């Protein structure tokens, strides 16, 4: 239930990632989510345990909340500073209704994806000890590092193929 609180943060980071990727700002779009968040979470959790806090799920969630606030602050600053230079000032045009209608289904899908990525851990919690779940979770996350390579290749090239196709350069 505590993890559900992180969903709006994850959605905001996904939105900022999309804005950054559409302008080809790969580092501020991806670094906070895929590198900084995990590295900071590890450092903050290790620091918490070193300071005498127990390694519990509640304390891990608190460390995650701190991590997400820090990475969103950096990502928002990096993206919005570039966006202000790129777009420049102009008359405000808000189409909140269109935005909500377009983004609400995506927010629901992303939320479901975020929650389902932990479904295996939730189900296992009914059958095995927290120590066994921790080992399982660590093992599956290490395996996911392998998936980072094709994902990085896709992220680094998909928008370029799309732009080239849009310009009519099919060669």
């Amino acid at each position: 239930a505590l993890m559900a609180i992180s969903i709006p943060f994850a959605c905001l980071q996904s939105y900022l990632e999309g804005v950054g990727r559409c302008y080809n700002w790969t580092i501020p779009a991806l670094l906070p989510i895929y590198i900084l968040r995990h590295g900071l979470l590890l450092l903050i959790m290790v620091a918490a345990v070193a300071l005498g806090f127990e390694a519990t799920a509640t304390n891990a969630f608190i460390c995650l909340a701190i991590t997400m606030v820090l990475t969103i602050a950096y990502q928002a600053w990096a993206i919005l500073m570039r966006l202000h230079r790129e777009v420049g000032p102009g008359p405000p045009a808000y189409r909140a209704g269109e935005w909500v209608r377009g983004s609400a289904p995506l927010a629901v899908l992303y939320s479901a994806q975020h929650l389902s990525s932990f479904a295996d851990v939730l189900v296992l919690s009914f059958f095995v000890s927290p120590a066994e779940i921790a080992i399982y979770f660590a093992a599956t996350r290490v395996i996911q590092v392998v998936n980072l390579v094709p994902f990085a290749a896709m992220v680094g090239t998909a928008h370029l193929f799309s732009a080239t196709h849009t310009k009519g350069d099919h060669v």
Side-chain angles (χ1 to χ4, degrees):
L2 287 174
M3 286 301 291
I5 296 169
S6 70
I7 291 172
F9 294 106
C11 290
L12 179 58
Q13 277 199 301
S14 180
Y15 168 76
L16 290 169
E17 176 190 347
V19 171
R21 285 175 59 185
C22 80
Y23 282 99
N24 199 23
W25 302 329
T26 307
I27 299 300
L30 301 176
L31 178 74
I33 298 172
Y34 299 103
I35 306 294
L36 263 178
R37 185 192 308 165
H38 302 290
L40 275 175
L41 180 57
L42 178 64
L43 289 174
I44 292 171
M45 189 68 190
V46 166
V49 171
L51 290 171
F53 293 95
E54 290 185 46
T56 64
T58 302
N59 288 337
F61 170 75
I62 292 167
C63 292
L64 175 66
I66 293 167
T67 300
M68 292 192 87
V69 167
L70 291 173
T71 57
I72 286 173
Y74 163 72
Q75 188 180 33
W77 172 79
I79 297 288
L80 294 176
M81 294 300 287
R82 291 174 185 224
L83 194 59
H84 286 298
R85 286 193 301 264
E86 184 76 26
V87 175
Y94 301 104
R95 298 185 298 207
E98 290 179 41
W99 184 83
V100 168
R101 283 191 302 278
S103 64
L106 297 175
V108 169
L109 289 173
Y110 186 74
S111 298
Q113 176 196 8
H114 188 63
L115 286 173
S116 70
S117 68
F118 296 100
D120 53 347
V121 174
L122 293 172
V123 170
L124 278 174
S125 71
F126 294 111
F127 303 107
V128 298
S129 72
E132 292 172 303
I133 293 172
I135 292 168
Y136 167 81
F137 184 76
T140 59
R141 292 312 180 243
V142 168
I143 291 169
Q144 287 182 355
V145 171
V146 174
N147 292 329
L148 186 61
V149 174
F151 176 77
M154 183 269 307
V155 166
T157 58
H159 65 286
L160 299 174
F161 282 107
S162 178
T164 303
H165 177 76
T166 302
K167 292 176 184 173
D169 183 2
H170 300 287
V171 175

